[in-house]
Amino acid sequence: MAELEAGSICMAAGGGGRLRNALSGVLCAFTLLLIGVLAFSIRLFSVIKYESVIHEFDPYFNYRVTQFLSKSGIYEFWNWFDDRTWYPLGRVIGGTVYPGLTLTAGTIWWLLNSLNIPLSVETVCVFTAPIFSANASWATYLLTKEAKGHGAGLMAATILAMVPSYISRSVAGSYDNEAVAIFALIFTFYLYVKTLNTGSLFYATLNALSYFYMVCSWGGYTFIINLIPMHVLLCIVTGRYSSRLYVAYAPLVVLGTLLAALVPVVGFNAVLTSEHFASFLVFIILHVVALVYYIKGLLTPRLFKVAMTFVLTVGLALCFAVVAILAALVASSPTKGWSGRSLSLLDPTYASKYIPIIASVSEHQPPTWPSYFMAINVLAFLVPAGIISCFLPLSDASSFLVLYLVTSVYFSGVMVRLMLVLAPAVCILSGIALSEAFNVLTRSMKFQRPISDDTLPTAGDSTPGSSSTATITTSTKNANIKKEKMGTISKERSSKKSRKETELVGSSPVRPEKEEKLCVLPSEASAMGILFLIMLCGLYVIHCVWAAAEAYSAPSIVLTSRSHDGLHVYDDFRESYAWLRHNTEVDDKVASWWDYGYQTTAMANRTVIVDNNTWNNTHIATVGTAMSSPEKGAWEIFNSLDVKYVLVVFGGLIGYPSDDINKFLWMVRIGGGEFPHIKEQDYLRDGNYRVDAQGTPTMLNCLMYKLSYYRFAETDGKGFDRARRYEIGRKHFKLTHFEEVFTTQHWMVRIYKLKPQKNRVRGKLKLKLKSSSKTSLMRKGAGKKNPWR
Amino acid sequence: MPKAAGDAKLLIQSLTKAYAATPTNLKIIDLYVVFAVATALVQVIYMGIVGSFPFNSFLSGVLSCIGTAVLGVCLRIQVNKDNKEFKDLPPERAFADFVLCNLVLHLVIMNFLG
């Protein structure tokens, strides 16, 4: 709240003399510093409540890459071929990873070490995200300042520093690409708007470099390279073309494309895939338009008409030729030139129809309404006011902000993960709305006293200069406040509406005669308005702190649960990875579902078959098939992959819902996509997925079921699954091809070893020597042990 | 048709007349831009004949030319006296920006050339 107050003070201080300007500058800097501290410290709940660890899945991979980078140096890093994952294929890490985050953390670590500050790589990685969220809030200040001035900038920065949607991806320990990418995104937008406002080539260069950093950090850079052309096109269509627009856009396309092509993971995709074609098309259109404007300047209007027809025909012909070529190129490629993830952005149902791997990730699902409220809270109500304020008056910068908001709202509706892109737009617009509202209310408070004293003098005053204009403005404000008071019946909606009215009325032509009468009761109304807005901000702050402390701080490798007899800590994941690290050979291969691949390589340092970088669908499908096959078939598949250990995550004992049994249908679907003998229907009873007595025999015989529930009935005698809340179907069975080697304290991770192959030669000799009756008995025994089907 | 031809003739005449009035330094920049675009065209034609095998070389060649042309146009926009938007931008500053941007561009191209 201190920041909010300071922000409003700073706004108020804007109009004064030189000393006041300097003071406001100092105050502004101080507020920004506080905002940075706030952004950093609100993300430390996870460290305080849990410990300083890397969170979740992907961050473990990034951590491992950073470790490698800090150990082996940058050149080794570019050439790194990782043979500990995707066995037996391996993965070229240097060429398939977005290196921005890793290089950033690596640089910070190197810098600190060369300053003799001995921090471990892990510590640096844990705190990278909070540091960059402070940077992101500063970048937000700059961007909003370009559009709407200091006050709105400070407000937006404060809001962004604690918006839950961004916190969810940038708490300490959440060492993921998005942590730095959001900063890069906002900063690139800032530099673009800055270039647009100043027309300086210097900022255009910086803009391209910042875009390069964004390309390095995150695949979401395609959002920038499509949004900026959209804005340029919008400017051209609405007749706002200026030479500043040319300076802002044309160098960015050329330099940005070249710089993007330097990043190995993008490479030639920067010119070959259709995500980037829009920018080239707009580049051409911009040149045509620039030429038209240039010729217009040279010629008389009559001649210009003639020239116009000429240029237009030629330009259109050129454009059509280019479009035709592009269309031919796009149509010739099998996926129409769009990668799966981008297609699923444009057509939300695409992924669930065609790409089970993308659809299986929960953060790729469309969001629900509550998740919007969770992610942006009261800001959702402020945004419309912000949009309106952007239209009064509409500048290049504010039209960019509106366009950014509109597109990101669409994208966030497609994929819950892209809520993160929406968050800055929402923060900026609601920052603008809040600051405008504060501006109007405080100004009306400020001019309240003079007007009551000067009513008579102004009515008959002869000096028309500044004082009378001031009166007019104040009286309008007062009228607005009067209106607002009428509108302020209760709650956010009505207040929002009234604020909209305020802004609308503020711009409409004024009739002083009428205003004089409306100058009553404004002071209380504006005080109420301010109080109300502060209360709204207070609610938002409370929600944000709650979200940071409770909802998003859990590291998900350590789970806690609160029950009547105190706090329980489930540290099973690290227990199992430590067991693997200490009790297995260095070159042993561990098979698990792909979710646990990154953690296994990073924490247990063992080779895995598949991991979270889902680049090879067939390989994942193979593991899925093995998990959904009966024991013998699974053993054969795993044995052919040199697997020694199989790891399953099981939540039935403690009621952990996101375990392998609940993910199992995705294994079946992904496996069935490549190997048609796995059919989803075999695992469903009347369309329902269940593992109790109603479960299908295929389900109750598959490897995943067996590995999860082996000896489970021994725990309580009944086999009651706490995650699914029913008794399991098959309780007592033996494993023939696998043996249990380790189960963690709460049974969350169970590790099995593949039994070695029987010594066949001897068995055959014995078979020939001994009598046939004994062999049949043995077979019978084997049949009992192996009851598939 | 004769009307259109007459119009075109008039147009070209007035264009050349208007263009002749531009200052010499702008004309030099124009020449520079035209040369860069022509070089890019030559490279594209060469690519059409021979093929685009070292694709990064082709790309860096063409983009270097286009980039140079674009930066030249930017410089021309900024130093143009008739352009009201850049009145308070001294030409020296514009040229310094131009040099900086060119440096970055060609550093990148040298990296990308392979």
Side-chain angles (χ1 to χ4, degrees):
Chain A
M1 282 319 293
E3 278 81 18
L4 297 183
E5 245 97 70
S8 50
I9 290 165
C10 193
M11 281 174 249
R18 205 172 184 185
L19 184 72
R20 276 182 85 189
N21 267 337
L23 193 71
S24 85
V26 169
L27 205 57
C28 217
F30 184 64
T31 314
L32 276 178
L33 190 74
L34 278 183
I35 289 172
V37 171
L38 172 73
F40 182 81
S41 52
I42 201 172
R43 286 165 170 81
L44 297 186
F45 277 110
S46 57
V47 173
I48 293 164
K49 286 182 71 178
Y50 296 87
E51 57 185 300
S52 173
V53 283
I54 310 276
H55 290 197
E56 300 197 349
F57 305 107
D58 287 22
Y60 268 95
F61 169 73
N62 297 326
Y63 169 50
R64 185 162 159 258
V65 177
T66 316
Q67 266 184 324
F68 183 87
L69 174 72
S70 59
K71 215 183 293 166
S72 316
I74 180 85
Y75 289 104
E76 285 293 309
F77 166 68
W78 290 123
N79 296 324
W80 184 20
F81 178 80
D82 186 10
D83 58 356
R84 301 200 78 79
T85 176
W86 290 96
Y87 183 84
L89 306 168
R91 176 185 170 194
V92 189
I93 301 270
T96 56
V97 79
Y98 284 101
L101 175 76
T102 319
L103 291 181
T104 309
T107 315
I108 294 175
W109 178 83
W110 174 82
L111 213 72
L112 287 175
N113 265 277
S114 51
L115 291 174
N116 287 327
I117 304 173
L119 284 180
S120 69
V121 177
E122 192 184 3
T123 316
V124 173
C125 292
V126 166
F127 290 103
T128 302
I131 291 172
F132 268 81
S133 49
N135 291 351
S137 54
W138 291 330
T140 309
Y141 163 74
L142 293 172
L143 174 57
T144 320
K145 190 194 78 182
E146 279 307 310
K148 282 283 170 183
H150 290 280
L154 285 175
M155 211 68 200
T158 317
I159 293 173
L160 184 103
M162 49 189 175
V163 65
S165 160
Y166 185 29
I167 287 182
S168 74
R169 289 317 193 103
S170 63
V171 292
S174 169
Y175 179 57
D176 212 345
N177 288 337
E178 288 92 332
V180 297
I182 292 302
F183 158 70
L185 182 88
I186 302 171
F187 198 63
T188 311
F189 285 155
Y190 157 66
L191 284 170
Y192 169 70
V193 171
K194 180 87 183 169
T195 323
L196 201 54
N197 282 345
T198 59
S200 154
L201 207 50
F202 173 68
Y203 284 111
T205 318
L206 286 190
N207 188 15
L209 290 178
S210 153
Y211 172 66
F212 175 56
Y213 185 63
M214 178 70 194
V215 179
C216 278
S217 325
W218 197 31
Y221 75 92
T222 44
F223 180 63
I224 294 185
I225 206 59
N226 284 302
L227 180 65
I228 291 181
M230 268 167 81
H231 179 247
V232 171
L233 208 59
L234 186 80
C235 282
I236 291 173
V237 168
T238 53
R240 305 180 67 93
Y241 169 82
S242 63
S243 37
R244 286 173 286 114
L245 190 69
Y246 184 89
V247 178
Y249 185 67
L252 174 69
V253 170
V254 178
L255 260 176
T257 304
L258 269 169
L259 282 164
L262 278 185
V263 182
V265 63
V266 179
F268 293 148
N269 284 347
V271 285
L272 291 182
T273 55
S274 41
E275 284 101 327
H276 306 82
F277 286 170
S279 62
F280 303 139
L281 201 65
V282 172
F283 183 70
I284 295 167
I285 293 174
L286 183 71
H287 275 91
V288 173
V289 171
L291 193 67
V292 168
Y293 272 85
Y294 172 66
I295 292 173
K296 194 179 179 181
L298 282 183
L299 294 177
T300 55
R302 194 186 64 81
L303 272 174
F304 174 67
K305 239 179 198 171
V306 182
M308 189 72 177
T309 48
F310 177 70
V311 169
L312 266 189
T313 42
V314 172
L316 277 181
L318 260 174
C319 272
F320 274 120
V322 170
V323 167
I325 290 170
L326 289 190
L329 274 178
V330 167
S332 65
S333 70
T335 56
K336 307 273 180 255
W338 293 78
S339 59
R341 260 166 234 233
S342 317
L343 267 181
S344 71
L345 278 183
L346 295 178
D347 172 14
T349 56
Y350 177 84
S352 51
K353 269 190 269 177
Y354 302 110
I355 317 171
I357 282 199
I358 290 181
S360 76
V361 181
S362 63
E363 61 184 21
H364 291 164
Q365 303 294 337
T368 52
W369 287 112
S371 68
Y372 272 100
F373 189 73
M374 177 73 193
I376 52 179
N377 200 250
V378 298
L379 303 185
F381 306 116
L382 293 173
V383 166
I387 293 177
I388 287 173
S389 149
C390 272
F391 276 101
L392 316 163
L394 188 69
S395 65
D396 290 344
S398 63
S399 69
F400 179 74
L401 292 182
V402 172
L403 190 70
Y404 174 28
L405 178 86
V406 171
T407 45
S408 62
V409 163
Y410 171 75
F411 286 132
S412 74
V414 175
M415 227 189 240
V416 69
R417 179 167 124 136
L418 293 177
M419 197 78 93
L420 198 61
V421 177
L422 171 69
V426 168
C427 289
I428 290 167
L429 285 175
S430 38
I432 291 172
L434 271 180
S435 127
E436 289 280 310
F438 271 125
N439 226 349
V440 167
L441 293 177
T442 47
R443 201 184 298 158
S444 65
M445 292 270 275
K446 193 175 162 193
F447 288 114
Q448 178 53 38
R449 179 147 303 163
I451 215 160
S452 54
D453 298 340
D454 302 346
T455 320
L456 281 174
T458 36
D461 208 16
S462 54
T463 49
S466 59
S467 69
S468 79
T469 48
T471 334
I472 287 173
T473 49
T474 48
S475 51
T476 10
K477 293 308 171 206
N478 292 340
N480 299 341
I481 279 136
K482 172 91 195 263
K483 271 204 171 172
E484 184 174 76
K485 210 208 168 171
M486 288 171 178
T488 320
I489 302 161
S490 64
K491 306 300 164 206
E492 296 105 38
R493 275 193 74 176
S494 60
S495 108
K496 183 196 73 189
K497 218 186 261 171
S498 69
R499 211 169 310 121
K500 272 193 229 168
E501 269 171 32
T502 344
E503 278 145 10
L504 282 174
V505 172
S507 74
S508 64
V510 282
R511 267 159 287 161
E513 288 289 318
K514 219 175 174 185
E515 308 314 333
E516 295 294 326
K517 284 178 190 168
L518 292 173
C519 294
V520 239
L521 292 177
S523 168
E524 292 88 338
S526 50
M528 284 285 287
I530 290 178
L531 261 179
F532 177 76
L533 284 179
I534 288 177
M535 231 170 68
L536 203 66
C537 295
L539 277 180
Y540 172 69
V541 171
I542 290 169
H543 173 79
C544 290
V545 172
W546 172 81
E550 302 294 330
Y552 296 132
S553 64
S556 96
I557 54 159
V558 186
L559 304 171
T560 56
S561 80
R562 216 177 281 275
S563 66
H564 53 87
D565 52 342
L567 190 75
H568 290 273
V569 176
Y570 303 103
D571 203 358
D572 288 34
F573 286 108
R574 289 195 290 183
E575 186 186 349
S576 67
Y577 294 132
W579 186 89
L580 276 176
R581 185 184 269 272
H582 292 295
N583 296 286
T584 58
E585 297 291 320
V586 178
D587 285 331
D588 282 346
K589 281 84 188 168
V590 181
S592 65
W593 189 234
W594 58 265
D595 294 18
Y596 313 104
Y598 278 166
Q599 291 183 350
T600 311
T601 39
M603 283 199 264
N605 193 23
R606 292 296 172 267
T607 310
V608 295
I609 305 299
V610 290
D611 68 21
N612 310 41
N613 174 264
T614 49
W615 67 273
N616 189 326
N617 197 19
T618 318
H619 222 51
I620 293 179
T622 310
V623 173
T625 310
M627 291 296 189
S628 27
S629 306
E631 224 179 311
K632 189 177 178 218
W635 186 89
E636 277 161 6
I637 294 174
F638 280 142
N639 194 46
S640 72
L641 287 168
D642 272 0
V643 169
K644 267 274 186 58
Y645 296 93
V646 181
L647 179 152
V648 295
V649 172
F650 171 63
L653 191 71
I654 55 156
Y656 171 60
S658 52
D659 64 349
D660 277 347
I661 290 288
N662 279 357
K663 291 173 186 168
F664 181 65
L665 267 193
W666 288 110
M667 305 186 200
V668 173
R669 271 174 212 155
I670 294 170
E674 295 281 334
F675 304 100
H677 68 276
I678 304 283
K679 291 183 193 68
E680 197 179 333
Q681 289 81 18
D682 296 347
Y683 298 84
L684 301 175
R685 173 77 70 189
D686 307 325
N688 286 323
Y689 172 65
R690 52 204 308 162
V691 290
D692 57 358
Q694 304 263 301
T696 59
T698 324
M699 178 66 224
L700 298 186
N701 275 313
C702 73
L703 183 72
M704 181 48 75
Y705 179 87
K706 284 190 160 182
L707 296 191
S708 289
Y709 292 113
Y710 178 61
R711 292 199 308 115
F712 180 58
E714 292 168 22
T715 52
D716 59 352
K718 287 185 301 197
F720 184 79
D721 185 328
R722 287 192 180 78
R724 259 73 49 182
R725 303 193 173 280
Y726 45 63
E727 280 184 34
I728 58 171
R730 286 183 66 199
K731 294 172 186 170
H732 304 284
F733 52 85
K734 291 223 164 59
L735 295 174
T736 51
H737 292 76
F738 295 83
E739 58 179 329
E740 185 187 4
V741 286
F742 186 69
T743 296
T744 54
Q745 191 189 353
H746 304 98
W747 287 48
M748 279 176 66
V749 184
R750 314 193 65 183
I751 300 171
Y752 293 83
K753 190 176 182 179
L754 270 75
K755 278 185 184 168
Q757 231 160 356
K758 292 238 171 62
N759 201 338
R760 277 191 187 151
V761 184
R762 229 183 221 186
K764 266 183 190 167
L765 280 174
K766 266 186 191 167
L767 276 182
K768 274 180 189 169
L769 289 172
K770 302 283 173 179
S771 62
S772 60
S773 64
K774 205 173 177 183
T775 50
S776 70
L777 237 171
M778 270 179 71
R779 272 193 195 145
K780 230 178 163 182
K784 251 184 195 167
K785 272 185 181 173
N786 254 343
W788 356 287
R789 265 169 237 284
Chain B
M1 267 298 114
K3 187 176 174 279
D7 270 354
K9 207 174 170 188
L10 191 66
L11 180 69
I12 289 165
Q13 270 173 4
S14 55
L15 264 183
T16 42
K17 210 172 81 190
Y19 187 73
T22 44
T24 325
N25 56 353
L26 290 192
K27 276 185 184 167
I28 292 171
I29 296 177
D30 282 343
L31 205 63
Y32 175 73
V33 170
V34 168
F35 174 71
V37 172
T39 323
L41 280 181
V42 168
Q43 287 185 50
V44 170
I45 292 165
Y46 181 77
M47 187 272 281
I49 296 167
V50 179
S52 68
F53 162 59
F55 192 56
N56 49 346
S57 307
F58 163 70
L59 216 58
S60 45
V62 169
L63 282 182
S64 141
C65 294
I66 294 179
T68 311
V70 163
L71 294 182
V73 171
C74 288
L75 180 69
R76 189 191 193 284
I77 288 173
Q78 290 182 346
V79 298
N80 195 350
K81 292 277 188 309
D82 300 336
N83 211 334
K84 299 288 179 298
E85 285 173 76
F86 296 99
K87 251 189 175 157
D88 47 352
L89 188 83
E92 290 81 11
R93 167 71 199 269
F95 189 71
D97 285 351
F98 170 74
V99 169
L100 173 81
C101 204
N102 253 316
L103 269 181
V104 172
L105 175 72
H106 285 95
L107 209 71
V108 174
I109 281 169
M110 261 159 34
N111 251 323
F112 193 59
L113 208 55

